Amino acid sequence: MVPDYEVKLLLNPSVVLGTDFKLTSSVRSAFGMPDTVTKMNVEFLDTNAKDIYNNGWSPRIRKTEGESDFELSYKKRYAITGSDITGALTLANQQGFNSGDIRYEAQVE
C-alpha cells in the first residue's frame, strides 16, 4: 500500500484572518488559494465518551455547499513513531488493510 501525504497547518487566527474573518490576501497568495470559498458542514459520529475515536476510528458525515449528496467517511488512524511510516503501514496490513482492497486509500497526515 502506497499512501499519499497530507500536511496540516495549525495557524493562529489572529495572524491569518482579517477583520472579516476571511484569510488575508497575503496568506491566500502564499498558498496559491482562490478568493472564493466553499462551505462544508461536518459532523463527527461518536459517543459522549469518544469510544469510537479512542479506538482509532474517526467517522464523519460531510455536506458540501452545492452538492446534493452527503458524504459518509471514516478514518482508522495508526500512530507513526519517529519517522517509521512503514511500521504503521505494516500494522495496518496485519489488521486487514492492504493494497489489494480498493475500497479505501492510505494517507499519512
Side-chain angles (χ1 to χ4, degrees):
M1 178 180 314
V2 178
D4 70 356
Y5 292 80
E6 177 178 287
V7 176
K8 294 184 179 184
L9 303 174
L10 299 175
L11 304 174
N12 183 335
S14 65
V15 174
V16 299
L17 300 179
T19 56
D20 59 356
F21 299 105
K22 294 182 181 179
L23 290 173
T24 63
S25 60
S26 61
V27 172
R28 287 194 317 273
S29 175
F31 291 100
M33 300 173 71
D35 293 335
T36 59
V37 297
T38 301
K39 295 178 184 176
M40 179 184 293
N41 290 314
V42 180
E43 184 168 334
F44 291 89
L45 309 172
D46 208 339
T47 65
N48 288 339
K50 296 185 180 181
D51 294 314
I52 298 170
Y53 178 81
N54 290 331
N55 281 291
W57 291 93
S58 182
R60 65 182 177 221
I61 298 173
R62 293 194 288 198
K63 176 70 170 81
T64 303
E65 179 181 41
E67 299 288 329
S68 60
D69 294 331
F70 289 86
E71 175 190 347
L72 174 61
S73 63
Y74 59 92
K75 291 184 180 184
K76 172 71 173 158
R77 289 190 162 87
Y78 292 89
I80 296 173
T81 304
S83 59
D84 187 15
I85 296 169
T86 301
L89 292 173
T90 299
L91 177 58
N93 187 278
Q94 292 169 348
Q95 294 183 353
F97 295 95
N98 62 65
S99 61
D101 195 333
I102 59 172
R103 296 176 294 171
Y104 55 85
E105 298 172 0
Q107 184 177 72
V108 176
E109 294 182 347

